[in-house]
Amino acid sequence: MTDVQERLKALSIELPVLGAPRYAYEATVRCGDLLYVSGQISRTASGEILQGCLGDDATVADGVTAARTSALNLLARIHDAVGLGNVQQVLKLNAWATSSRDFVNQPTVIDGASQLLLDVLGDAGRHARTALPAHVLPQGALVELDATIALRG
């Protein structure tokens, strides 16, 4: 059992099984030792989309849950593409959170995703990050993430 598998087990985390994208794009694209992961919304393993607007009808805690859900989907995409044990480093995490005009705590919300990546991947989960507000996200999602991943040679 790898360190990543042991961490997932210790955290009682099961990665969701994700289908192919519904539209004309790839879930991941590999170029050399880089893996680009397309946007992953806050859709639970059961298919429910965590929705809302931060500062309106969604709380920071709702946002953190949505960010963690999106991060689980991101990890599942990486696992399906190359295996989590092949992650050398999460280089960049881009994040969007549906927010009201006055809501400014996107970094607190997106920390839910960042912390999950650290918990599962250890030091390989440390990353640069952008956390931005969005007026609306696909399918009404509360959070969307994409990432650039460096792979072991």
Side-chain angles (χ1 to χ4, degrees), residues 39-60:
Q40 300 301 305
I41 63 173
S42 49
R43 181 189 332 249
T44 67
S46 67
E48 174 191 6
I49 297 174
L50 303 180
Q51 300 179 324
C53 181
L54 294 162
D56 187 7
D57 61 352
T59 66
V60 169

Side-chain angles (χ1 to χ4, degrees), residues 55-142:
D56 187 7
D57 61 352
T59 66
V60 169
D62 295 332
V64 169
T65 298
R68 288 180 59 86
T69 299
S70 295
L72 282 173
N73 294 335
L74 190 83
L75 289 168
R77 290 292 187 199
I78 297 165
H79 174 72
D80 291 348
V82 297
L84 291 175
N86 290 312
V87 172
Q88 179 180 353
Q89 193 72 50
V90 177
L91 298 175
K92 182 71 187 283
L93 182 69
N94 295 306
W96 298 266
T98 303
S99 305
S100 69
R101 181 182 177 110
D102 297 327
F103 186 84
V104 295
N105 291 320
Q106 292 83 9
T108 301
V109 167
I110 302 307
D111 267 353
S114 293
Q115 189 60 57
L116 184 68
L117 294 176
L118 290 168
D119 291 346
V120 172
L121 298 172
D123 284 339
R126 295 190 182 283
H127 54 273
R129 182 181 87 186
T130 301
L132 297 170
H135 175 70
V136 66
L137 289 170
Q139 300 176 51
L142 185 51

